[in-house]
Amino acid sequence: MVENKRWYPLYHVAAPVGWINDPNGFCTYKGQYHLFYQYHPYSPQWGPMHWGHVVSKDLVHWEHLPIALKPTEPYEKEGCFSGSAIERDGKLYLIYTGNAEVQTQNLAVSDDGINFEKSPDNPIIKAPESDEIRGADFRDPTVWEHDGKFYSVIASKVHGGDFRDPKVWEHDGKYYAVIGSKTTDGSHGQALIYESDDLKNWTFKSIAARAKENEGTMWECPNFAKIGGQDVLIISPMGVNPVGNKFLNAVDSGYMIGKINYKDGIFTRGALDLLDYGTDFYAPQLTQLADGRCVMIGWFAMWFADMPEQADGWAGTMTVPRELKIKKGKLFSVPIEELESLRLDGVTHSKLTITEPTKLDGVEGTTGELIVDVNLAKSDDFSISVRAGEDEQTLLTYDKATSTFAVDRTNSGEGPKDKREVQLSPANTLKIRAFIDRSSVEVFLNGGEYVFSMRIYPKETSQGIIFASRDGKLILNEVSFYKLAEGIPQPEGSQPDRQIAS
Ligand code: FRU
């Protein structure tokens, strides 16, 4: 049972109790949005993976459904790992990884989107033998060069133990699945493509892309999507070393923009770039909506991080859904417009000159949406504290000399103590949009150009939002704050938020 809901989210997807990690099976089925997740219902620690399940009509109000998959078969005896979902002929197909001595891909099908039957033909995909991949492997540009050497077919085979997280999509009447893997020598992550006419019989097509220098030793949770006429590959690579302010976490997710050639299955692409600058974002999954938008949800936590909510009987949430757009050759993550339907009371303050720490009427809370439009040209260094209390606060700061924006949780309360930052291009204004939700803050800058997803663990009484100029003034064009409605059922037996007496 969730013992205490001090950190339990109001509108981010979380499990009713227990541990969650990756989003899985994010799809539209019979007009509703389904989201599954890696789930260990019996404790707030990772354990044999099940698939938890929520459903929504609008992507922001979610209902819990019964557990969709449990590890019952020998081929998944160590868990039903990540995978994806697709609708075909009125049925919902889940394609997921069975974790056992080797990893294989498996199928479960449902007529009602609630009860799933595993295919008697499982596993439906096994790691390819070297003979099978030889052809694709020698095709340019999957042969790669490193330090003046070309790598041989031996180093290019697929590692049977790390072969997981199938993401399925349809293109021109055929089904494709991209699967995460690495070379047999464990040195390079790679994404494999399979194809099928019926979702049941699959053939290996290609190694679509492989890690170049410092692009990871294993690629988890690959996703292909069409965004603004371009193909985008999103991966969750292990083993990428930090580069400046990027890739600082135990693991981080990234993207590459390019073009898939459906004839040979090769993805020609640009370099890997970071998707989220925060401390807690991994294994995102994408889905393409009927209206053409490509929406992403990520796991809002981090492997190996301290998770104080485990003391309350649960661990991990999902991020808010984000629409992906390509602008200026980069991938932007924009909170989906449906999130505005969660807004309750709101206040707006305009044209403010801040010279000393200032609270604004109606701008505070343990949850809510904060929108700030800063006149950067006329402002000096500044900070905005959220979840501020007597002895703690999470700081959003801007340093004018270096154009550096940071989210700092060294004094946020319990949990990890660190900060993340990004250097902004010079501009006259800065638009900050922050979603605050009991144990998290998600900060979007300039319409999704940069995002910081950060978990924080303040006291319930720390509800303040304080605007401050460090030495001089902070000019705010506009500040809005909205209280937000419940988006995920609250755990039973929990108490309503304690409000500060004003
Ligand atoms: C990514 C991941 C996946 C795997 C799942 C297991 O976070 O490691 O590769 O399928 O989690 O829970």
Side-chain angles (χ1 to χ4, degrees), residues 21-22 38 46 49 81-82 164-165 220-221 282-283 303:
N21 56 283
D22 314 357
Q38 289 285 281
W46 190 85
M49 283 288 109
F81 272 19
S82 286
R164 60 178 172 271
D165 311 334
E220 297 189 309
C221 302
Y282 194 60
W303 285 118

Side-chain angles (χ1 to χ4, degrees), residues 194-402:
Y194 281 73
E195 66 185 351
S196 171
D197 291 321
D198 58 6
L199 296 169
K200 295 174 190 155
N201 299 290
W202 291 87
T203 49
F204 172 77
K205 186 166 183 73
S206 62
I207 296 174
R210 177 179 294 136
K212 296 182 183 158
E213 190 67 29
N214 196 32
E215 287 184 341
T217 51
M218 164 67 198
W219 285 2
E220 297 189 309
C221 302
N223 286 242
F224 268 114
K226 183 132 244 126
I227 303 170
Q230 309 215 55
D231 295 319
V232 176
L233 173 61
I234 287 192
I235 54 166
S236 291
M238 299 165 80
V240 175
N241 295 317
V243 184
N245 291 329
K246 300 183 184 183
F247 297 99
L248 299 182
N249 300 318
V251 278
D252 281 284
S253 299
Y255 69 92
M256 307 160 192
I257 300 177
K259 184 100 206 119
I260 309 180
N261 178 341
Y262 278 92
K263 284 210 183 85
D264 61 9
I266 303 298
F267 181 57
T268 309
R269 48 113 177 169
L272 177 71
D273 202 355
L274 184 66
L275 255 179
D276 188 303
Y277 286 77
T279 46
D280 298 279
F281 180 86
Y282 194 60
Q285 192 163 91
L286 276 46
T287 193
Q288 215 100 32
L289 304 189
D291 62 15
R293 285 181 294 166
C294 177
V295 175
M296 171 177 81
I297 289 182
W299 176 36
F300 198 174
M302 183 47 59
W303 285 118
F304 318 121
D306 186 14
M307 299 176 181
E309 75 263 40
Q310 285 175 325
D312 297 341
W314 65 282
T317 81
M318 296 293 151
T319 64
V320 295
R322 302 162 182 187
E323 183 184 351
L324 296 178
K325 295 184 180 178
I326 296 179
K327 287 188 195 170
K328 306 188 237 175
K330 290 199 294 192
L331 202 57
F332 279 49
S333 300
V334 188
I336 55 163
E337 60 197 37
E338 285 86 341
L339 284 160
E340 290 176 24
S341 70
L342 288 178
R343 289 178 183 169
L344 301 170
D345 308 342
V347 289
T348 297
H349 300 266
S350 304
K351 303 215 176 351
L352 303 166
T353 300
I354 308 281
T355 52
E356 56 189 54
T358 303
K359 287 188 175 182
L360 301 173
D361 277 353
V363 183
E364 64 170 20
T366 57
T367 64
E369 180 187 351
L370 173 70
I371 304 174
V372 185
D373 187 338
V374 184
N375 183 330
L376 266 195
K378 293 194 180 148
S379 295
D380 302 296
D381 294 357
F382 67 84
S383 66
I384 303 171
S385 316
V386 300
R387 297 303 308 270
E390 258 172 38
D391 53 0
E392 61 187 24
Q393 59 189 336
T394 299
L395 280 170
L396 319 187
T397 63
Y398 179 73
D399 182 81
K400 192 156 185 147
T402 57

Side-chain angles (χ1 to χ4, degrees), residues 415-463:
K417 304 200 173 343
D418 47 21
K419 73 171 179 178
R420 292 289 182 266
E421 48 190 42
V422 72
Q423 212 176 349
L424 305 175
S425 339
N428 289 332
T429 57
L430 173 63
K431 289 188 196 306
I432 304 169
R433 188 167 174 202
F435 288 88
I436 300 164
D437 195 3
R438 295 208 184 116
S439 59
S440 67
V441 56
E442 269 162 299
V443 182
F444 295 85
L445 299 183
N446 292 335
E449 183 172 6
Y450 302 105
V451 188
F452 296 77
S453 302
M454 315 273 283
R455 299 295 304 278
I456 51 171
Y457 300 92
K459 297 186 192 78
E460 260 178 299
T461 47
S462 298
Q463 303 198 4

